Amino acid sequence: ENHTKIFFPSSFKHFGMLNFAVKNSFAACLLRNKGCLIHASSSVIENKAVLFAGVSGQGKSTIIRQLRRRCLADDRSIIRFIGNRPFVYGAPFYEQHNFAKIRSKFPLGGIYLLKKKEIEKIKILKLSPPIALFKLLPHIVIREEGPFIGRRRQFKLALRICRILAVSIPVYTISRSLSVPGSHLAKTIYDHLA
C-alpha cells in the first residue's frame, strides 16, 4: 500500500523501458500524495506555470518551442498541492526533446487542452468545471501494471485531483487547424494570457 516495487530483468538493455517504469511508479506515488503526473508540456509565463495537454501529435512540444519561455516539461508535468494550491514542478525524466528545463515549482495558472481540427481560425473556449473534469481525466497518468484494485484506487485519486483542478484553475480547449503555424499559436496564447 505504501511502497511501489520495481523488478528489472538482469539482461535489462533499453533505457526507454527504465524511463517508462520509473514514470509509472512515480505516477502512482504522486496520486497517493496529493499530486499527479499529467501528460502535458508546461512552461512558465509571468511566474505562473501553464500546462498544454493533448494526445500525441497535438502540438505540446511545438508550443513549448514556439513560446521560447522557461520550460518545465516537454511531455509529462508534475502537479503537487501545497495546502489547497496546485504547483507545477519540472519533470526529472528523459523526454523526447532536449529543452533546458527549470527545476523549481511554480503556481499553476491555467491548463490548455490542445486539439487539431478542420477550422480556419484558432478558437479558445473556457470549460465549465464539470466538462473540465471530464476532459482532464484522460491526461492523468495512471500506473499501467499491477492489480485491478490498485488501478481502481488510482482512478479514484485521479478523479479527486481533476475535480479540485477543474474548480480552482481555468481550463480551456484551444482548437486550431493543422495548417496554423506554431508561431501563430504562440502569439494567440500570449494575447489570451495578457
Side-chain angles (χ1 to χ4, degrees):
E1 189 73 23
N2 295 325
H3 299 17
T4 300
K5 295 179 182 175
I6 307 174
F7 297 94
F8 297 106
S10 58
S11 62
F12 192 79
K13 293 179 183 176
H14 301 288
F15 177 73
M17 290 171 65
L18 174 61
N19 197 38
F20 176 78
V22 169
K23 283 181 185 177
N24 249 348
S25 298
F26 191 64
C29 290
L30 276 170
L31 283 171
R32 291 193 301 257
N33 292 285
K34 292 182 69 178
C36 68
L37 187 62
I38 185 167
H39 187 207
S41 60
S42 51
S43 186
V44 178
I45 301 172
E46 304 292 326
N47 283 325
K48 288 193 176 178
V50 180
L51 293 178
F52 301 97
V55 296
S56 296
Q58 295 301 308
K60 295 184 302 293
S61 298
T62 301
I63 191 65
I64 292 296
R65 191 171 25 277
Q66 291 297 324
L67 283 171
R68 299 174 201 259
R69 294 288 177 159
R70 297 180 292 170
C71 175
L72 287 168
D74 168 32
D75 189 54
R76 301 274 197 281
S77 297
I78 299 166
I79 298 175
R80 290 266 342 257
F81 283 84
I82 298 174
N84 291 325
R85 288 185 66 197
F87 286 84
V88 179
Y89 293 76
F93 307 122
Y94 168 80
E95 293 182 321
Q96 198 170 7
H97 300 282
N98 191 20
F99 295 125
K101 295 187 232 171
I102 303 170
R103 300 284 183 227
S104 301
K105 70 176 187 278
F106 292 88
L108 178 56
I111 301 172
Y112 290 87
L113 303 172
L114 302 174
K115 253 169 123 171
K116 288 183 182 175
K117 285 180 146 186
E118 291 301 321
I119 56 173
E120 303 237 349
K121 291 173 26 174
I122 295 174
K123 230 163 56 173
I124 299 177
L125 174 69
K126 185 172 183 186
L127 301 177
S128 67
I131 300 294
L133 179 140
F134 176 72
K135 298 277 188 177
L136 282 174
L137 193 56
H139 300 287
I140 303 298
V141 178
I142 294 175
R143 188 173 65 190
E144 294 178 19
E145 79 280 352
F148 175 72
I149 291 175
R151 284 194 304 261
R152 189 169 64 195
R153 181 165 183 255
Q154 286 181 74
F155 181 78
K156 285 181 182 178
L157 294 169
L159 188 61
R160 190 187 82 205
I161 295 283
C162 287
R163 188 177 302 125
I164 295 167
L165 289 173
V167 297
S168 62
I169 300 297
V171 180
Y172 307 93
T173 57
I174 182 162
S175 304
R176 67 179 176 115
S177 165
L178 297 170
S179 61
V180 171
S183 58
H184 190 58
L185 179 60
K187 183 183 180 322
T188 303
I189 288 171
Y190 276 137
D191 293 345
H192 187 256
L193 291 170

